[in-house]
Amino acid sequence: MAAARGAAAGEAALKTQYVTTKEKFHAFLAAGGNAEEGEEEDAATPEECADAANGGAEEASGEPELKRRKLDDDAQAEDTQQDKKGMKGQNKSRPHMKPHSYDDRRLCPSLLQGRENGCFFGEKCKFIHDVTDYMSTKPADLGEQCYLYDTFGRCAYGITCRFAGAHTGPDFKNLVNKESETPTTSETVRNYLHKDLQRRLRKRQVTFTRSETYLRSIRTGNGAGGQSRNRPGSERAAPEPGSERAAKVEGQKQEPTGDVGVEVQHHYTTCATDNKHKLLNMENHSMLFQSKLVSFFSLNVFLDTQVDFRDKLYLAPLTTCGNLPFRRLCKRFGADITCGEMAMCTNLLQGQASEWALLKRHHTEDLFGVQLEGCFPDTMTRCAELLSENIDVDFVDINSGCPIDLVYRKGGGCGLMTRTNKFEQIIRGMNSVLDVPLTVKIRTGVQQNCNLAHKLIPEMKKWGVSLITLHGRSREQRYTKMADWDYISTCSRLASPVPLFGNGDILSYEDAMKARETGVSGIMVARGALIKPWLFTEIKEGRHWDISSGERLDVLRDFTHYGLEHWGSDTQGVEKTRNFLLEWLSFTCRYIPVGLLERVPQKINERPPYYLGRDYLETLMASQHVDDWIKISEMLLGSVPKNFNFLPKHKASAYK
């Protein structure tokens, strides 16, 4: 009966022996897993039973019972609507504590780095230089073993590490295990922002030669709304001898295949039909075609670095939660393509370190891209050229599907779908300076019942995109209702031969199989990976994985290890890892173990009812309360600081 009631209320159907009430659920957790406590409080008194049996009792107000119920139901429904409206979107005014706020007394980095000349700032330095003084107030260690020391043979954080007891010798000397010493994080992670480049960006000393060539063609009218890659200003200039780009292009040169002529001819034909200002007549076509072939063989202009996107599982670029440690987990579970979090092109051009951190790539990410957000051709083209020269990626993605107001109101994200001239100039401009494929992520449209994707996709094929990813919802829908896979199927046929990936509502391998039947070239997974990152394994092995609570805790532990490796094992790194872990736990609590379901699989739009799991840990992981998430984090990262506070970024209106 409970399962049927849950299904009728939009909840997942669970086996009746596991379903419980909200009060019993929280009482069970408060009692530490003792189910017997609190049962007496739930028992009804004889007076309550008598009132329930009579059923026709009237209140002091004189209202009949049936009318009173109706009034109460109406009032409750109104309150629910108000509460639900208030729980939509993000917690924009949430308290924000920076990780370094938990460590008031910090040791000077010059002591950790062992500089012979001492601190650069001298007496003006705001950090502590007395090691004994620092150790007297340092918080107790969080554990006896240091993951960094055990993995790499040394810990770069020395005595500031919150697990320093594992690698601190006499006189607070940092120990090194020569036998197990391996490359450190700085050697396994790429795409750092070098100080010299940051300085030149801040002083605006970086030149964008190829971008300026393209932008001049727009200003003179040659590229307005119809710039083609075979027009002056849109071709890629030959790299300067000895430059990084020249070495990159040289390494990418490959023997032409038998399909090269067909590909170039198809590209030329597309550009020619799109050209509104034809400068050549039909008699010159063969001559132009031959010249382009010569250009291809000499400079490798037409054929970019080829990436085979088809039939792959693509982990979506996820803001906040799609960080490098999480992507490492998903790679381990079977994700084929990974992409960094959305980065603002203006912030990258200004040399903001926090924005450049979103571009970092772990060596295990064999097919990796970065996603850019912007709304103007000049900044997007310059940013593409900047990244092409300074980082290592396999593709660059344009975010034209972001629904948040901050981005949309500036004309970025979904706003690009309604600004087709600017959108075209951005795509053509970025293509003219990149030597890797350019991809685009879009939604069905802006408004719910006004789809735009089917109109844009044929145009984007002409503009030169290498991959299109379509989320089957409009901006107005955000993440409500179901993704429209029938519309995705239609757009997939329009996009051919350009590969199109579908995205939306994938939470099981059965969902993935149904998505593949629509004819898409591949599948992008977003929220499904946040709820259960082992989804990639389920899809590739074609099974439902009834993962135990212990195995799930091991997954969380691996994330914290990757986090300590990426953000550090000092107080600042530990609390940053904890913060991202808590953000992720706001999604994992929506997962329902397979063994508890009455009907398999779980659907992404079904709310999990209150249930008691097969053990205490499984029940704790099902809690949607922040305090319980903090308990889980303390199992892995020790106790939180005294002044710790946390409010999740997403309100998650379905899980109040």
Side-chain angles (χ1 to χ4, degrees), residues 29-30 90 101 136 194 214 360 381 430 451 510 641:
L29 292 180
Q90 298 182 347
S101 302
S136 65
H194 298 289
Y214 172 77
K360 289 182 180 179
T381 304
M430 294 179 70
N451 292 334
E510 293 179 3

Side-chain angles (χ1 to χ4, degrees), residues 268 272 278-287:
Y268 164 71
K278 294 184 179 179
L279 303 178
L280 299 174
N281 54 34
M282 295 298 294
E283 297 176 355
N284 294 329
H285 282 181
S286 60
M287 184 180 301

Side-chain angles (χ1 to χ4, degrees), residues 268-487:
Y268 164 71
T269 304
T270 303
C271 293
T273 55
D274 183 57
N275 191 346
K276 298 179 182 178
H277 307 283
K278 294 184 179 179
L279 303 178
L280 299 174
N281 54 34
M282 295 298 294
E283 297 176 355
N284 294 329
H285 282 181
S286 60
M287 184 180 301
L288 182 60
F289 176 72
Q290 292 174 3
S291 67
K292 289 301 177 183
L293 279 179
V294 173
S295 177
F296 165 76
F297 288 119
S298 59
L299 299 178
N300 197 21
V301 170
F302 268 86
L303 187 60
D304 294 334
T305 305
Q306 295 300 302
V307 175
D308 183 13
F309 291 106
R310 298 181 184 277
D311 297 323
K312 286 184 169 56
L313 293 177
Y314 187 167
L315 173 64
L318 302 163
T319 305
T320 304
C321 292
N323 46 66
L324 186 144
F326 180 76
R327 297 198 306 268
R328 287 183 64 182
L329 275 180
C330 292
K331 280 297 298 182
R332 199 183 72 188
F333 282 118
D336 299 311
I337 307 173
T338 55
C339 187
E341 302 173 60
M342 179 184 72
M344 304 286 189
C345 67
T346 50
N347 295 343
L348 295 174
L349 290 171
Q350 293 169 2
Q352 292 187 14
S354 59
E355 207 73 18
W356 277 80
L358 305 178
L359 310 180
K360 289 182 180 179
R361 172 184 189 172
H362 194 261
H363 72 93
T364 57
E365 297 181 272
D366 50 355
L367 187 48
F368 173 77
V370 295
Q371 186 182 69
L372 299 181
E373 184 280 323
C375 47
F376 297 106
D378 55 346
T379 52
M380 289 290 279
T381 304
R382 291 189 184 108
C383 188
E385 182 176 355
L386 177 67
L387 300 186
S388 176
E389 298 286 352
N390 293 281
I391 68 171
D392 175 28
V393 293
D394 298 304
F395 64 93
V396 175
D397 184 66
I398 299 175
N399 185 334
S400 52
C402 181
I404 64 175
D405 295 338
L406 179 65
V407 173
Y408 176 75
R409 288 172 181 170
K410 294 189 303 181
C414 283
L416 285 176
M417 298 184 67
T418 59
R419 302 167 66 235
T420 52
N421 285 344
K422 293 295 183 185
F423 200 6
E424 177 182 1
Q425 291 172 356
I426 288 173
I427 292 177
R428 293 193 186 279
M430 294 179 70
N431 253 332
S432 69
V433 298
L434 286 172
D435 47 18
V436 294
L438 180 66
T439 67
V440 177
K441 186 175 187 293
I442 61 176
R443 283 180 175 250
T444 59
V446 177
Q447 297 176 340
Q448 182 172 345
N449 297 318
C450 186
N451 292 334
L452 298 175
H454 65 283
K455 300 178 182 178
L456 275 176
I457 288 174
E459 297 300 317
M460 287 192 289
K461 290 167 61 177
K462 301 175 185 177
W463 301 341
V465 298
S466 300
L467 169 70
I468 301 170
T469 304
L470 177 59
H471 183 177
R473 294 182 179 88
S474 65
R475 175 185 181 267
E476 194 174 70
Q477 287 179 270
R478 297 293 178 100
Y479 299 96
T480 60
K481 299 186 179 180
M482 300 297 293
D484 190 348
W485 278 92
D486 291 334
Y487 183 67

Side-chain angles (χ1 to χ4, degrees), residues 619-633:
T619 307
L620 183 65
M621 289 180 172
S623 175
Q624 298 157 13
H625 201 279
V626 176
D627 291 345
D628 293 322
W629 304 342
I630 292 176
K631 287 181 184 178
I632 297 174
S633 77

